[in-house]
């Protein structure tokens, strides 16, 4: 057994990771966040704090959780008991748009879809965007080829119209897994070529796809003039109030305005003016030698963002000093932003919007406020981190002219950044951490948007506006933002205006020394996550207050801690670890999952948010071994998902893959985008 294999063999034993997410995924995607201290060590008070030691511990004990030692906690957060694979809702009695026969939970190395539907792999890692790309050859990969091919680990997927027969497919490539990408990969000694391939396999793809008259098939248009690959050496531009700050200057960029590349882009959103917002998430893991930093202020900032240690996992610092904090201390400040890309102009320089703050951005979803400005909702995907909103200073011009579009493309450069504080309306003593509903029958309450900065004005004591934008987490700490269970994707309903936040899980909630359950994060050792609805005042997205209530508390419906908006639990699909979300045109929420702890593979689920089927979760598909479900994009024509990190299990290598999806046989797994549509005349998705 090589040293590498020995270390990887140890990983499950050492694991602090969510039980069903492979330790390898945690290392490669998040820089092993689960094994490190929680970056939010602030004493920022939280609801239920006072009762943490009494009530919540009692609640934990009731739930069979032992707090005595870390080992015991790890054991306690092991997999839930698996009920016999339930598929209770084989009924087609469901809300409009969800009348398919739900897929049973399973562990197949396949994308499993409902009866009567067809699937197609639209684009895989290595497929060409341009005809000058060589045919994909796993044993002869080059950086030059990868720059002209579809990247690795697709996450966000969106479509924008081009003409009657063509759409632009927008895809993030969040991260690379060198262990299963490269033959004979030696993690201690990656080659320069391997590193340059990984740089090219990160980033973004814009690919034109042609549609059919009937059916949901999408055919990539190689060499379409709008096709574009953006990767780790593409030029991006910082804008907004912090651009040009001293802390953004490097030896390669003394202006503090030009950044090369985009890293760890997770989810995103589309603007009403036809641009793409994409979110830089776990950027911390790419930067080496934080341990050499001696200045206490800088060290505290790095620590709050989870930047730590010596060599990085991928060792990029060996071939580009900008990834070495000992040589370029400010480069890390140039990552962790929301990026805006104009996909209709392949020569445009994408913008990094400093006005939207810097954190581990999961997604960014805009909507127009009652007074015509743009609100952008954003989650910071870290245990005990925060939920944010930006509101533009300027107003959206809906006239559709080129001049209006140019104006709209400046809206995210100036505005006000807020962080959310949630307050429950039930007595804290009734929130016992088991998920038991309080006596008023709901986890609900009110909240306020706390302003952090507006343009060059800071509202946070002891921090300049520049510091608020650059170290937004620290600003949230100071103003008492609510510590959440990993805010992931966010989506306002196009029908009701209610905003949905997916909180994926937080197995440290309520464990020794950590914040206990509160009404908006009501379960200790929250393995399966939950979804919160936010109702802005008067259906406006302006500053001020909001109402909220929990829509789903996820898990096996047989688990008494779960809640499906009051719907009959015998009629729902089990769901665990909600991550990316989207709406269909009927107002149904579609939820993709990452890290299912119920013993089945991740999947995509649809759920009505209003009417008599509100809360009826129905599973639409499952993904292959090791994969998470990303992307989702749901229209009447098709459902699109990104199958991310297939075969990324702790025992997988390039030579011994544990998934062979999508190519079958003994092939190496390839992340890919899949389209699914209903057979028959209509070709529609889900009636
Ligand atoms: Fe890249 Fe928070 O998921
Ligand atoms: Ca309540
Ligand atoms: Ca995600």
């Amino acid at each position: 057994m090589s040293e590498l294999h020995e270390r990887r063999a140890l990983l499950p034993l050492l694991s602090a990771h969510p039980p069903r997410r492979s330790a390898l995924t945690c290392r490669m995607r998040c820089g092993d966040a689960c094994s490190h201290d929680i970056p939010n060590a602030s004493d920022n008070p939280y609801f239920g704090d006072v009762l943490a030691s009494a009530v919540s511990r009692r609640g934990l004990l009731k739930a069979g959780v032992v707090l005595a030692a870390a080992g015991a906690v790890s054991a306690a957060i092991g997999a839930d008991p698996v009920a016999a694979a339930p598929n209770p809702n084989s009924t087609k009695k469901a809300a409009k748009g969800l009348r398919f026969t739900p897929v049973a939970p399973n562990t197949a190395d396949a994308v499993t879809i409902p009866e009567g539907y067809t699937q197609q792999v639209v684009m895989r890692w290595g497929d060409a965007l341009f005809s000058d790309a060589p045919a994909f050859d796993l044993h002869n990969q080059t950086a030059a080829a990868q720059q002209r091919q579809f990247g690795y680990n697709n996450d966000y997927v969106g479509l924008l119209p081009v003409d009657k027969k063509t759409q632009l497919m927008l895809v993030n490539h969040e991260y690379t897994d060198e262990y299963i990408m490269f033959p004979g990969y030696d993690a201690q000694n990656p080659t320069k070529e391997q590193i340059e391939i990984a740089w090219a396999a990160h980033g973004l793809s814009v690919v034109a796809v042609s549609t059919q008259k009937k059916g949901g098939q999408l055919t990539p248009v190689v060499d379409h003039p709008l096709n574009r690959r953006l990767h780790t050496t593409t030029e991006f531009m910082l804008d907004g109030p912090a651009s040009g700050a001293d802390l953004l200057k490097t030896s390669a960029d003394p202006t503090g305005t030009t950044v090369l590349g985009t890293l760890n882009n997770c989810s995103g959103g589309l603007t009403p003016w036809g641009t793409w917002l994409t979110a830089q998430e776990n950027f911390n893991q790419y930067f080496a030698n934080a341990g050499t930093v001696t200045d206490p202020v800088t060290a505290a900032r790095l620590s709050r963002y989870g930047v730590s240690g010596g060599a990085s996992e991928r060792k990029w610092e060996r071939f580009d000093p900008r990834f070495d904090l000992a040589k370029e201390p400010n480069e890390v400040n140039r990552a962790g932003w929301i990026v805006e890309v104009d996909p209709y102009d392949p020569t445009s320089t994408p913008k990094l919007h400093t006005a939207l703050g810097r954190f581990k951005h999961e997604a960014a979803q805009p909507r127009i406020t009652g007074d015509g400005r743009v609100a952008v909702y954003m989650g910071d995907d870290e245990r005990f981190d925060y939920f944010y909103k930006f509101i533009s200073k300027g107003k959206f011009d809906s006239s559709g002219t080129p001049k209006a579009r140019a104006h709209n493309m400046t809206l995210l450069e100036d505005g006000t950044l807020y962080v959310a504080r949630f307050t429950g309306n039930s007595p804290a003593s009734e929130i016992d951490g088991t998920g038991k509903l309080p006596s008023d029958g709901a986890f609900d309450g009110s909240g306020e948007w706390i302003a952090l900065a507006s343009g060059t004005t800071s509202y946070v004591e002891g921090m300049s506006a520049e510091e608020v934008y650059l170290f937004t987490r620290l600003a949230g700490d100071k103003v008492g933002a609510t510590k959440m269970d990993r805010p992931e994707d966010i989506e306002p309903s196009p029908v009701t205006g209610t905003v949905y936040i997916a909180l994926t899980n937080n197995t440290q909630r309520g464990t020794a020394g950590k914040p206990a359950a509160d009404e908006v994060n009501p379960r200790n050792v929250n393995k399966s996550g939950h979804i919160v609805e936010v109702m802005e005042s008067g259906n406006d997205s302006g500053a001020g207050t909001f109402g909220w209530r929990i829509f789903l508390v996820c898990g096996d419906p047989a688990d008494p801690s779960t809640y499906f908006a009051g719907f009959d639990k015998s009629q729902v699909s089990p769901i665990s670890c909600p991550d990316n979300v989207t709406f269909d045109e009927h107002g149904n929420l579609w939820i993709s999952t990452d890290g299912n702890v119920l013993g089945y593979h991740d999947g995509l689920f649809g759920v009505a948010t209003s009417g008599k089927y509100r809360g009826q979760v129905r599973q639409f598909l499952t993904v292959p071994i090791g994969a998470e479900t990303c992307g989702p994009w749901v229209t009447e024509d098709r459902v699109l998902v990104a199958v991310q990190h297939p075969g990324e299990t702790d025992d997988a290598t390039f030579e011994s893959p544990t998934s062979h999806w999508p190519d079958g046989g003994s092939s190496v797994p390839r992340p890919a985008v899949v389209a699914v549509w209903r057979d028959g005349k209509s070709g529609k998705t889900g009636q």
Side-chain angles (χ1 to χ4, degrees):
M1 194 185 264
S2 69
E3 190 196 338
L4 162 67
H5 286 91
E6 273 174 40
R7 262 188 310 110
R8 293 180 67 196
L10 281 174
L11 282 171
L13 301 176
L14 300 173
S15 183
H17 311 272
R20 295 288 167 173
R21 171 53 57 233
S22 90
L24 185 58
T25 297
C26 292
R27 282 174 71 194
M28 304 311 284
R29 181 184 49 205
C30 321
D32 219 5
C34 301
S35 294
H36 293 115
D37 290 341
I38 301 279
N40 190 353
S42 70
D43 58 4
N44 161 20
Y46 46 87
F47 188 71
D49 197 6
V50 183
L51 294 161
S53 59
V55 175
S56 298
R57 274 169 188 263
R58 194 166 65 237
L60 274 173
L61 290 168
K62 264 199 243 167
V65 173
V66 180
L67 290 172
V73 170
S74 287
I77 62 175
D80 281 319
V82 175
N87 193 27
N89 50 0
S90 51
T91 173
K92 286 196 177 177
K93 285 185 181 166
K96 192 159 195 246
L98 297 175
R99 292 175 189 154
F100 51 83
T101 303
V103 164
N106 66 76
T107 55
D109 190 26
V111 173
T112 305
I113 59 173
E115 249 172 70
Y117 283 73
T118 297
Q119 63 175 296
Q120 171 220 0
V121 172
V122 178
M123 198 110 193
R124 299 163 297 180
W125 169 47
D127 286 345
L129 278 73
F130 305 96
S131 56
D132 60 5
F136 185 57
D137 180 347
L138 280 163
H139 292 273
N140 292 290
Q141 299 177 52
T142 67
Q146 180 65 81
Q147 289 186 4
R148 310 291 278 168
Q149 296 164 335
F150 199 61
Y152 204 73
N153 270 349
N154 30 218
D155 196 303
Y156 177 81
V157 179
L159 290 178
L160 281 174
V162 177
D163 56 41
K164 262 190 170 171
K165 286 187 176 166
T166 317
Q167 304 207 50
L168 277 183
M169 186 171 76
L170 315 169
V171 181
N172 285 344
H173 302 293
E174 186 174 6
Y175 71 101
T176 48
D177 190 327
E178 289 75 359
Y179 295 97
I180 52 177
M181 289 172 68
F182 301 129
Y185 182 66
D186 177 353
Q188 296 311 309
N189 296 291
T191 67
K192 184 164 186 276
E193 185 76 35
Q194 286 169 336
I195 284 175
E196 288 178 349
I197 293 165
W199 289 347
H202 275 74
L204 319 173
S205 286
V206 179
V207 193
V209 286
S210 65
T211 56
Q212 313 289 314
K213 263 194 183 153
K214 283 181 184 163
Q217 186 172 335
L218 295 174
T219 309
V221 184
V222 174
D223 288 333
H224 190 281
L226 296 180
N227 284 2
R228 189 175 188 190
R229 273 304 321 279
L230 302 98
H231 42 75
T232 314
T233 56
T234 308
E235 197 168 289
F236 290 69
M237 182 174 72
L238 283 153
D239 71 18
S243 72
D246 285 347
L247 286 166
L248 292 171
K249 293 173 181 169
T250 64
S251 44
D253 174 29
T255 67
T257 57
T258 305
V259 177
L260 292 185
T262 188
L263 293 171
N264 216 266
N265 289 71
C266 192
S267 193
L270 299 179
T271 65
W273 51 93
T275 61
W276 173 20
L277 301 182
T278 159
Q280 298 179 339
E281 195 185 9
N282 294 294
F283 62 88
N284 54 311
Q285 64 183 301
Y286 301 95
F287 295 91
N289 297 325
T292 64
V293 173
T294 53
D295 170 54
V297 173
T298 307
R301 288 169 174 165
L302 291 171
S303 170
R304 187 64 181 86
Y305 282 85
V307 189
S308 64
S312 70
E313 167 68 40
R314 295 180 179 78
K315 316 285 187 291
W316 290 2
E317 63 275 12
R318 292 184 189 171
F319 297 100
D320 189 338
R322 71 191 170 107
F323 296 109
D324 186 343
L325 284 157
K327 294 175 181 156
E328 286 292 349
N330 289 343
E331 186 71 31
V332 69
N333 297 335
R334 294 145 58 88
W337 302 103
I338 292 295
V339 186
E340 183 174 9
V341 182
D342 181 1
Y344 292 107
D345 178 1
T347 66
S348 59
T349 303
K351 296 173 178 177
L352 306 172
H353 289 306
T354 64
L356 276 64
R358 175 172 167 267
F359 42 92
K360 291 188 182 177
H361 279 287
E362 170 71 24
Q365 192 56 52
R367 73 193 288 200
I368 304 302
T369 67
D371 67 355
R373 290 175 298 149
V374 183
V376 183
Y377 295 91
M378 301 175 287
D380 184 348
D381 179 9
E382 187 93 65
R383 291 165 294 177
F384 304 112
D385 255 295
Y386 308 136
F387 175 49
Y388 296 88
K389 181 171 76 171
F390 166 87
I391 298 186
S392 66
K393 184 176 175 190
K395 291 189 177 177
F396 172 59
D397 183 338
S398 61
S399 62
T401 63
K403 194 176 162 200
R405 189 163 188 267
H407 161 77
N408 293 333
M409 285 180 63
T410 67
L411 289 174
L412 305 187
E413 294 173 16
D414 193 8
T416 305
L417 183 61
Y418 301 87
V419 70
R421 182 157 55 210
F422 294 80
T423 306
N425 65 9
S426 292
S429 59
E430 293 187 6
I431 309 299
D432 67 4
T434 65
K436 183 182 164 206
L437 287 169
S439 58
D440 69 353
F443 297 118
D444 59 352
S446 58
E448 60 185 305
W449 291 111
I450 307 168
L452 299 175
S454 189
T456 54
T457 303
S458 168
Y459 303 115
V460 181
E461 207 179 321
M463 292 180 82
S464 68
E466 237 171 52
E467 288 169 341
V468 169
Y469 297 119
L470 282 164
F471 309 110
T472 311
R473 284 183 167 184
L474 290 160
D477 297 344
K478 280 178 179 271
V479 301
T482 300
K483 296 175 176 178
M484 307 294 285
D485 286 350
R486 295 185 52 195
E488 294 257 22
D489 205 355
I490 288 144
E491 196 79 25
S493 163
V495 174
T496 63
T498 297
V499 179
Y500 288 74
I501 316 167
L503 295 142
T504 194
N505 60 55
N506 183 353
T507 53
Q508 294 210 12
R509 169 77 60 186
T511 60
K514 300 294 190 300
D518 56 23
E519 197 162 346
V520 73
N521 300 282
R523 260 191 321 199
N524 286 325
V525 192
N526 182 6
K527 286 179 281 191
S528 282
H530 56 288
I531 294 184
V532 174
E533 296 176 317
V534 165
M535 291 75 71
E536 295 274 27
S537 302
N539 200 21
D540 190 1
S541 311
T545 58
F546 57 85
W548 63 267
R549 71 183 161 226
I550 290 189
F551 175 52
L552 300 177
V553 180
C554 300
D556 185 327
D559 172 349
S561 75
T562 57
Y563 174 72
F564 292 80
F567 198 81
D568 176 359
K569 286 199 207 175
S570 71
Q571 294 295 312
V572 302
S573 298
I575 180 170
S576 175
C577 302
D579 187 341
N580 296 351
V581 288
T582 192
F583 274 93
D584 65 24
E585 64 192 50
H586 307 290
N588 300 311
L589 182 68
W590 291 70
I591 306 160
S592 63
T593 67
D594 175 16
N596 186 338
V597 297
L598 304 178
Y600 313 115
H601 286 183
D602 280 314
L604 178 68
F605 303 78
V607 57
T609 57
S610 59
K612 68 175 178 177
Y613 295 109
R614 173 176 156 88
Q616 187 194 35
V617 171
R618 293 164 69 79
Q619 179 146 23
F620 184 75
L621 60 73
T622 53
V623 294
I625 292 169
E628 72 169 282
T629 321
C630 296
W633 181 266
V634 181
T635 63
E636 284 301 278
D637 298 323
R638 70 186 65 75
V639 170
L640 280 178
V641 290
V643 177
Q644 192 182 154
H645 55 76
E648 190 175 58
T649 58
D650 293 338
D651 51 346
T653 61
F654 181 93
E655 289 74 17
S656 302
T658 53
S659 166
H660 305 292
W661 186 88
D663 296 341
S666 58
S667 64
V668 165
R670 293 165 75 178
V673 173
V674 173
V676 183
W677 63 91
R678 200 170 78 144
D679 300 334
K681 280 185 192 162
S682 75
K684 301 298 186 191
T685 299
Q687 302 313 302

